[in-house]
Amino acid sequence: MSRRKPRPRTPAPAPAPTADTPCPCGLDAAYGACCGRFHAGTGAAAPTAELLMRSRYSAFVAGDAAYLLRTWAPETRPGTLALDPGTRWTGLEIEATTDGTAFHQRGTVTFTARYVHAGEPGCLREHSRFTRHDGAWVYVDGDFPDA
């Protein structure tokens, strides 16, 4: 009798946030009152680069590729974006911000996002750049300091 090696289990995707669940971005607010209002596309836009970054993280959690594309600078935005359903995002830590307020045209956010993929935990650390486009904050690009 041969023994087969067990395959790593892919975790079930985390349930999508609902209006009343805690916001995945880590702020002490319900998703609907926090990042969900930006995702809804009803005119609310993140007022700072940090809040845009948090809302983009929450969009990864929610699987909202349309929001990610909508908040990406036109000059660096990809034509399409396929999110990996096997990645479950588990936490966000903002490490540093520069500028990115109502008084600025540019800003940066350095963060660590934690995830589980194929049963293995991991983290992504990025120094992201943001700018204003037509008055709204958009993601430009980022560097990966630990890479």
Side-chain angles (χ1 to χ4, degrees):
M1 181 187 280
S2 67
R3 292 187 124 200
R4 289 193 299 197
K5 190 175 183 179
R7 291 185 210 169
R9 289 181 37 187
T10 301
T18 65
D20 297 326
T21 58
C23 194
C25 81
L27 292 178
D28 188 22
Y31 171 72
C34 195
C35 295
R37 65 193 165 122
F38 305 133
H39 296 173
T42 56
T48 66
E50 179 182 338
L51 285 176
L52 178 63
M53 201 260 106
R54 287 179 178 278
S55 71
R56 286 176 57 84
Y57 169 82
S58 292
F60 276 99
V61 172
D64 191 347
Y67 178 78
L68 293 165
L69 289 169
R70 208 168 53 242
T71 58
W72 210 312
E75 62 272 14
T76 58
R77 178 188 311 136
T80 60
L81 182 63
L83 301 179
D84 182 348
T87 300
R88 187 173 41 116
W89 296 95
T90 59
L92 175 67
E93 177 187 344
I94 302 296
E95 298 172 12
T97 62
T98 58
D99 300 335
T101 71
F103 302 105
H104 301 105
Q105 290 300 309
R106 291 180 178 72
T108 66
V109 179
T110 303
F111 66 93
T112 297
R114 302 199 184 289
Y115 62 88
V116 175
H117 186 267
E120 296 293 322
C123 67
L124 168 79
R125 185 163 187 261
E126 183 174 330
H127 176 79
S128 299
R129 286 178 284 281
F130 298 86
T131 191
R132 287 190 181 270
H133 177 77
D134 292 338
W137 286 106
V138 293
Y139 171 78
V140 177
D141 60 16
D143 298 322
F144 304 97
D146 294 335

